[in-house]
């Protein structure tokens, strides 16, 4: 029997009498599979007019019983499974269900001083007071952020970050405290680690989470060995959020805050691309982020009206794209052989790096710190590029020393040491991230090792020749 709804009642008389679930569906006779149906709501009596009104609404895809099965949109896993599962909500429930609605995203609005704080706020918990927190945040944006290109000075105000993410706020304060106020570094670092564990346990995913993880890898303790793993976790979160499919968007039609939030997400993805390639180059481990049309269109991305502070990031992206065009040249070789066919490619890449240095040195004249980083990374890339052929030449027991890789790598290492010892940039080295110190140490150790290895080889050659000459003379009649 049909259920006939009556006014001012959620159940019909029959279902009330028999204690049944009252459900009413229109008949489907003569309808094609997947057709949209309109459902009448329960009639409600108006208090003012005393009339019964009925509202009808068109059912969404998740409400239609046959909508999912009638959808012709692909049969591969990303299309066949629930779309929400591929956008940061990959769970058993989202994969198997066709009726789960998309999680509601918080609307972007003006952040006020009375806005609710994110859980774990270090100020609310008494780890640090407001005055010191604001001072550290200002110090980070002024002295540390220009080296990592992570946060937008216009968007990421103290109040904005405090409301958005306690994890990101604590990571910022801990990084600043390590260099500007060491007395509060330990409690802030410990709290940031606790929040990181909570983020990982709950599976939270957002641009602020990724930015917080990256900040924990820039300025860390000397015995912390988690940088490679943490960067991998950050990249996986971005993959789960679908950032590998980022495309250029028209930000002019949006509000400034919303446009800057999207720009922040794109900036974080580009920073991760540079970071991923840098770690791969230094450690010889595989990279995780592939080149894409969005990354390759970095020049167009820089032209945005919101890209006033993104020049250095664009330069680094260009450099990593440049070196990724010749795979294998910047990775440690498994053997000591140097294929002759790679020498013309090395020379071509060397010229391109020189052009990159000239272009971005000129483009960063207004920011001495960025100009310093351009020179630094150019020399370091040349050092890494020619260290492989030099190793092959020094390991060879026969034949003369290959002078080209020797002089290029030698001049690059000397250039790094000369750059950091100059009076103009001596103050910059204190604030740079840990990876810069690794590059500096590599250049210094490289020069020392080359000197002693070459000296030992020449001494061994002289001693061997003298011994051979003495033996020959003793054998003469």
């Amino acid at each position: 029997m049909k259920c006939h709804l009556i006014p001012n009642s959620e159940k019909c008389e029959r279902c009330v009498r028999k204690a049944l679930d009252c459900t009413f569906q229109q008949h489907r006779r003569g309808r094609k599979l997947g057709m949209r149906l309109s459902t009448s709501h329960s009639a409600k009596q108006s208090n003012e007019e005393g009339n019964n009104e009925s509202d009808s609404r068109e059912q969404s895809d998740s409400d239609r019983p046959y909508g999912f099965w009638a959808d012709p949109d692909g049969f591969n896993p990303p299309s066949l499974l629930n779309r929400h599962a591929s956008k940061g909500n990959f769970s058993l429930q989202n994969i198997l269900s066709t009726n789960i609605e998309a999680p509601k995203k918080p609307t972007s609005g003006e952040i006020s001083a009375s806005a609710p704080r994110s859980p774990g706020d270090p100020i609310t918990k008494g780890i640090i007071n407001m005055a010191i927190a604001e001072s550290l945040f200002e110090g980070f944006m002024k002295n540390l952020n220009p080296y990592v290109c992570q946060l937008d000075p216009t968007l990421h105000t103290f109040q904005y970050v405090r409301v958005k993410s306690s994890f990101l706020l604590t990571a910022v304060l801990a990084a600043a405290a390590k260099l500007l106020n060491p007395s509060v570094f330990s409690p802030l670092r410990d709290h940031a680690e606790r929040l990181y564990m909570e983020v990982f346990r709950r599976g939270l995913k957002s641009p602020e989470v990724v930015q917080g993880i990256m900040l924990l890898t820039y300025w860390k303790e000397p015995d912390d060995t988690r940088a490679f793993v943490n960067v991998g976790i950050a990249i996986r979160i971005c993959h789960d959020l679908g950032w590998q499919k980022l495309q250029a968007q028209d930000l002019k039609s949006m509000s400034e805050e919303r446009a800057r939030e999207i720009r922040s997400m794109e900036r974080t993805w580009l920073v991760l691309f540079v970071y991923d390639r840098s770690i791969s180059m230094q450690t010889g481990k595989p990279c995780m982020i592939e080149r894409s049309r969005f990354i390759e269109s970095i020049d167009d991305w820089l032209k945005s009206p919101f890209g006033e502070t993104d020049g250095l990031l664009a330069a680094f992206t260009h450099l990593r794209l440049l070196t990724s065009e010749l795979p294998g040249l910047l990775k440690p070789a498994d053997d000591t052989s140097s294929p002759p066919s790679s020498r013309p490619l090395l020379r071509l890449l060397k010229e391109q790096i020189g052009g990159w240095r000239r272009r971005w040195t000129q483009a960063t004249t207004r920011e001495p710190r960025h100009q310093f980083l351009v020179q630094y990374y150019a020399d370091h890339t040349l050092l890494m590029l020619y260290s492989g052929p030099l190793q092959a030449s020094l390991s060879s027991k026969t034949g003369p020393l290959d002078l080209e890789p020797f002089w290029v790598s030698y001049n690059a290492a000397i250039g790094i040491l000369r750059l950091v010892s100059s009076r103009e940039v001596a103050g910059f080295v204190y604030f740079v991230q840990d990876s810069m110190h690794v590059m500096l140490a590599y250049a210094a150790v490289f020069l020392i090792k080359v000197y002693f290895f070459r000296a030992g080889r020449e001494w061994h050659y002289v001693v061997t020749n003298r011994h051979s000459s003495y033996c020959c003379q003793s054998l003469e009649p």
Side-chain angles (χ1 to χ4, degrees), residues 197-217:
M197 293 299 297
E198 182 67 14
V199 164
F200 188 82
R201 184 184 68 83
R202 297 175 58 189
L204 302 180
K205 309 177 189 72
S206 69
E208 291 76 24
V209 168
V210 176
Q211 292 162 355
I213 294 175
M214 295 174 67
L215 289 180
L216 292 181
T217 67

Side-chain angles (χ1 to χ4, degrees), residues 169-215:
L169 175 64
T170 309
V172 168
L173 299 181
K178 189 175 189 295
L179 301 177
L180 302 176
N181 194 345
S183 61
V184 296
F185 169 67
S186 294
L188 286 172
R189 178 204 57 197
D190 295 341
H191 186 56
E193 293 291 345
R194 287 192 295 268
L195 292 178
Y196 182 26
M197 293 299 297
E198 182 67 14
V199 164
F200 188 82
R201 184 184 68 83
R202 297 175 58 189
L204 302 180
K205 309 177 189 72
S206 69
E208 291 76 24
V209 168
V210 176
Q211 292 162 355
I213 294 175
M214 295 174 67
L215 289 180

Side-chain angles (χ1 to χ4, degrees), residues 11-267:
K11 292 185 177 182
C12 68
E13 182 180 357
R14 180 182 65 88
C15 293
V16 171
R17 185 175 64 254
K18 295 185 177 182
L20 300 175
D21 292 334
C22 187
T23 58
F24 173 75
Q25 292 185 353
Q26 290 186 354
H27 67 84
R28 297 182 176 275
R29 295 191 303 273
R31 299 185 182 274
K32 295 182 180 180
L33 186 65
M35 287 187 61
R36 297 179 181 270
L37 298 175
S38 59
T39 304
S40 298
H41 289 286
S42 300
K44 295 183 179 180
Q45 186 176 7
S46 173
N47 294 331
E48 298 179 355
E49 300 179 358
N51 298 325
N52 293 334
E53 298 179 354
S54 61
D55 298 328
S56 62
R57 63 180 179 88
E58 186 178 66
Q59 289 185 330
S60 62
D61 290 342
S62 61
D63 295 329
R64 293 186 289 117
Y66 296 98
F68 171 77
W69 306 109
D71 190 357
D73 184 18
F75 287 86
N76 57 322
S79 300
L80 186 62
L81 300 179
N82 190 284
R83 290 183 176 87
H84 311 317
S86 61
K87 296 182 179 180
N89 297 281
F90 191 87
S91 66
L92 190 62
Q93 182 186 38
N94 287 335
I95 291 174
L96 299 181
S97 176
T98 61
N99 296 320
I100 299 299
E101 296 182 356
K104 296 182 179 180
K105 297 182 179 180
T107 57
S108 175
E110 183 179 357
I111 302 298
S112 62
S114 60
R117 308 297 175 214
S118 178
D121 183 89
I123 302 171
T124 305
K125 288 185 171 295
I127 299 175
I128 191 173
N129 61 44
M130 178 66 75
I132 297 179
E134 291 180 342
S135 175
L136 288 176
F137 190 89
E138 181 181 359
F140 174 87
M141 299 301 293
K142 179 180 179 180
N143 298 305
L144 278 70
N145 188 62
Y147 294 101
V148 296
C149 313
Q150 191 67 77
L151 303 182
D152 181 358
T154 303
L155 174 67
H156 293 97
T157 62
F158 176 81
Q159 193 64 34
Y160 178 89
V161 175
R162 188 183 181 191
V163 172
K164 277 287 186 178
S165 172
S166 294
F167 174 50
L168 176 58
L169 175 64
T170 309
V172 168
L173 299 181
K178 189 175 189 295
L179 301 177
L180 302 176
N181 194 345
S183 61
V184 296
F185 169 67
S186 294
L188 286 172
R189 178 204 57 197
D190 295 341
H191 186 56
E193 293 291 345
R194 287 192 295 268
L195 292 178
Y196 182 26
M197 293 299 297
E198 182 67 14
V199 164
F200 188 82
R201 184 184 68 83
R202 297 175 58 189
L204 302 180
K205 309 177 189 72
S206 69
E208 291 76 24
V209 168
V210 176
Q211 292 162 355
I213 294 175
M214 295 174 67
L215 289 180
L216 292 181
T217 67
Y218 290 137
W219 296 276
K220 55 185 180 300
E221 291 294 90
D223 58 346
D224 192 334
T225 61
R226 301 171 299 167
F228 179 76
V229 175
N230 285 341
V231 171
I233 293 174
I235 294 175
R236 281 298 191 186
I237 293 176
C238 296
H239 284 164
D240 203 17
L241 295 174
W243 290 8
Q244 72 278 8
K245 299 180 181 179
L246 283 177
Q247 297 179 356
Q249 301 187 46
D250 183 15
L251 304 181
K252 298 180 181 179
S253 59
M254 308 176 185
S255 64
E256 181 178 355
E257 182 178 357
R258 180 55 183 163
R260 288 189 178 275
E261 287 178 343
I262 295 178
R263 182 83 177 182
S264 176
M265 176 184 64
E266 297 171 344
R267 181 185 300 106

Side-chain angles (χ1 to χ4, degrees), residues 400-432:
L401 176 67
D402 192 347
L403 293 180
E404 181 180 357
F406 173 79
W407 283 114
V408 173
S409 56
Y410 173 81
N411 288 328
I414 288 293
I416 292 176
L417 298 182
R418 184 181 292 114
L419 182 63
V420 299
S421 61
S422 63
R423 181 177 301 178
E424 293 79 7
V425 302
F428 300 161
V429 181
Y430 179 76
F431 294 105
V432 297

Side-chain angles (χ1 to χ4, degrees), residues 308-341:
E308 60 272 10
T309 61
D310 294 325
L312 181 64
L313 176 57
F316 285 165
T317 305
H318 267 289
L319 182 62
R320 293 302 173 234
L321 287 173
L322 190 65
T323 55
S324 65
E325 292 178 355
L326 300 175
L329 293 182
L330 290 176
K331 295 181 180 179
D334 296 332
D335 54 17
T336 58
S337 61
S338 178
S341 59

